[in-house]
Amino acid sequence: MARGEGSYLYDTEERRYVDFCAGIATCCLGHCHPAVVQALTEQAGKLMHCSNLYGIPGQEKLAKLIVEDIIGIPGQVFFANSGAESNDGIIKVARRFGHRRPAADGSPRYEVITFNKSFHGRTLGSMAATGQRKIQVEFDPLLVGFKYVDFNDMAALRAAISPQTCGIMLEAVQGEGGVNPVQPEFLRGVAQLCKEHDLLLMVDEVQCGFCRCGATMGWKAVCPEVQPDLVSCAKGIGGGFPMGCFWVSNRAIDGQGTPLSSIMGAGSHGSTFGGTPIAVATSYAVVSELVQGAYHERAQRLGEYVKNTVEGWHIPCVTGVRGLGLLRGVGLDKDKFRNPLPEGMTPAGYVNNLCREAGLLACPAGPDTLRLIPALNIPAETLDEGLSILLGVLEMA
Ligand SMILES: *Cc1c(COP(=O)(O)O)cnc(C)c1O
């Protein structure tokens, strides 16, 4: 690829593609959004990096915006560079919490329960948290302290809690694992179990956050009343610029009123590049545009449109459209294609390749799901242009 313009990408031969991938759900305002380009280039001429040894006003400004207008619950923010790093951060907070709030026998709690088909990243910590064996193969031994249970299975989750458990970690919509939304009653049940067992509710909003799923955060699109303790963010937060953060609630963890956010004091965690002046200036431009433009409402509306349109085609190989907002997965049935699948190819990989040849960029999510994650500001006519390419591909596949 050579350049981008809104929801179009152009390759080195100047071939144009409709972009329903958006840098894997990162370029939430499309390519080269003028306000984002302006913020980035202006800051590049002022100060790119100076380290967190000094106060950075842009960090404070962005943290306030995220706490007040995106998360909406009092807390503090730590800036990182990626989703995996942000998840490592919340795993560290959970482990420290397990030391401060030990098991009945006085031993520190350290175990985090995550879910099958989850995806949390590729570092040693976030890979161990990921409930997909294919991500971990031949990297054993894994970091200890994770247990995986089936998503949306309350009985299995309840049975998995042990005296060592200190947290439960989930995505509101499993992105990489096939676009599987959490059921509202399950999310409410998880929050309840966390209260009963003194566990941290850890939400990975790396893919489903920042207005993508029809609310400012993915969990709020499912159960706005649920209050997580820890939230990890990346992808959309930077609009394509590498950026991440994690949020820690100010809620009291004991009878003395100790805020959860206070247990990671200065020196407990760090990042040389986390929250550089250029990253926070760029991210501020992205997030303030998302908030001011109420892009979560647009994502909700366009997402319903995508679902209704694709399901309305009644194509035999399409099993349905899952997801929330503009995080959508088209389910594919390998036995209902017109043509035999090429050797060694998954249904999603096959359809994704055909789309690309036809001028549409999408993204597989697991073997049977084609993920549609366009920019949240994609014009209605560009969305229709991409959908008609998809229709042509699915009719012939
Ligand atoms: C992409 C993703 C990550 C990993 O983010 P990186 O920036 O690639 O490290 C973690 N969690 C979820 C839900 C993701 O979609």
Side-chain angles (χ1 to χ4, degrees):
M1 294 301 162
R3 63 188 184 88
E5 215 179 270
S7 280
Y8 293 113
L9 271 183
Y10 296 81
D11 68 15
T12 48
E13 261 87 66
E14 269 299 299
R15 207 172 151 218
R16 190 176 86 164
Y17 301 85
V18 175
D19 191 4
F20 279 12
C21 176
I24 317 186
T26 58
C27 306
C28 52
L29 293 173
H31 303 286
C32 305
H33 187 284
V36 179
V37 172
Q38 189 188 347
L40 182 110
T41 49
E42 267 178 18
Q43 188 62 44
K46 242 189 248 168
L47 180 65
M48 244 191 267
H49 179 58
C50 60
S51 99
N52 291 320
L53 295 170
Y54 316 105
I56 299 174
Q59 284 189 0
E60 290 166 28
K61 205 169 109 175
L62 178 60
K64 189 168 173 342
L65 180 65
I66 291 171
V67 170
E68 289 176 1
D69 291 339
I70 296 288
I71 305 266
I73 308 166
Q76 293 195 42
V77 171
F78 178 91
F79 290 107
N81 305 285
S82 69
E85 251 184 83
S86 304
N87 282 328
D88 279 357
I90 63 173
I91 293 163
K92 283 178 72 174
V93 180
R95 286 195 168 192
R96 179 154 285 191
F97 171 77
H99 277 75
R100 300 291 171 91
R101 306 278 302 163
D105 68 359
S107 64
R109 296 185 289 160
Y110 60 90
E111 197 175 77
V112 173
I113 301 175
T114 73
F115 295 92
N116 291 325
K117 297 190 181 166
S118 61
F119 182 79
H120 299 299
R122 303 279 189 165
T123 57
L124 289 166
S126 60
M127 172 183 70
T130 295
Q132 294 190 62
R133 190 59 201 147
K134 71 171 191 205
I135 304 284
Q136 304 165 337
V137 167
E138 291 189 280
F139 298 120
D140 310 278
L142 298 176
L143 181 70
V144 298
F146 294 94
K147 251 189 206 166
Y148 321 104
V149 303
D150 280 347
F151 203 37
N152 290 321
D153 184 339
M154 193 42 81
L157 176 60
R158 205 183 287 277
I161 295 173
S162 80
Q164 281 70 48
T165 309
C166 63
I168 302 173
M169 178 166 174
L170 54 81
E171 298 156 83
V173 180
Q174 291 183 331
E176 305 298 313
V179 192
N180 312 308
V182 69
Q183 287 163 3
E185 57 280 14
F186 185 75
L187 183 52
R188 261 179 241 122
V190 173
Q192 185 56 36
L193 276 182
C194 286
K195 284 209 177 75
E196 278 167 27
H197 295 268
D198 191 21
L199 313 175
L200 298 183
L201 176 54
M202 307 161 70
V203 183
D204 179 343
E205 290 279 347
V206 169
Q207 186 156 162
C208 56
F210 287 88
C211 301
R212 177 150 297 274
C213 287
T216 53
M217 281 280 151
W219 95 78
K220 292 192 195 179
V222 182
C223 293
E225 75 280 12
V226 162
Q227 302 224 330
D229 297 305
L230 300 170
V231 176
S232 58
C233 308
K235 293 202 167 96
I237 191 178
F241 196 87
M243 172 76 178
C245 79
F246 63 89
W247 168 91
V248 185
S249 173
N250 285 347
R251 84 156 166 90
I253 57 164
D254 57 21
Q256 286 83 57
T258 309
L260 178 63
S261 54
S262 72
I263 68 174
M264 298 288 279
S268 61
H269 191 54
S271 168
T272 300
F273 277 132
T276 59
I278 196 160
V280 292
T282 308
S283 174
Y284 189 85
V286 173
V287 179
S288 55
E289 173 68 17
L290 288 177
V291 169
Q292 277 160 26
Y295 278 96
H296 58 287
E297 289 170 9
R298 193 157 198 280
Q300 163 71 26
R301 202 169 63 243
L302 295 188
E304 288 298 315
Y305 176 75
V306 167
K307 177 182 165 67
N308 294 335
T309 303
V310 175
E311 289 184 344
W313 294 334
H314 300 291
I315 293 179
C317 67
V318 172
T319 58
V321 178
R322 295 189 300 276
L324 294 173
L326 279 176
L327 172 49
R328 292 287 169 174
V330 179
L332 298 166
D333 181 347
K334 67 171 178 359
D335 298 323
K336 303 247 172 82
F337 285 109
R338 295 164 66 122
N339 306 302
L341 276 185
E343 205 38 44
M345 186 144 279
T346 64
Y350 174 58
V351 172
N352 190 53
N353 286 357
L354 292 177
C355 284
R356 182 170 169 166
E357 282 162 25
L360 172 67
L361 303 171
C363 186
D368 309 314
T369 307
L370 186 73
R371 194 169 15 159
L372 311 179
I373 36 179
L376 309 185
N377 65 347
I378 186 170
E381 57 275 19
T382 316
L383 189 66
D384 277 333
E385 187 185 350
L387 287 172
S388 72
I389 297 174
L390 179 63
L391 172 61
V393 164
L394 290 171
E395 277 179 332
M396 299 307 293

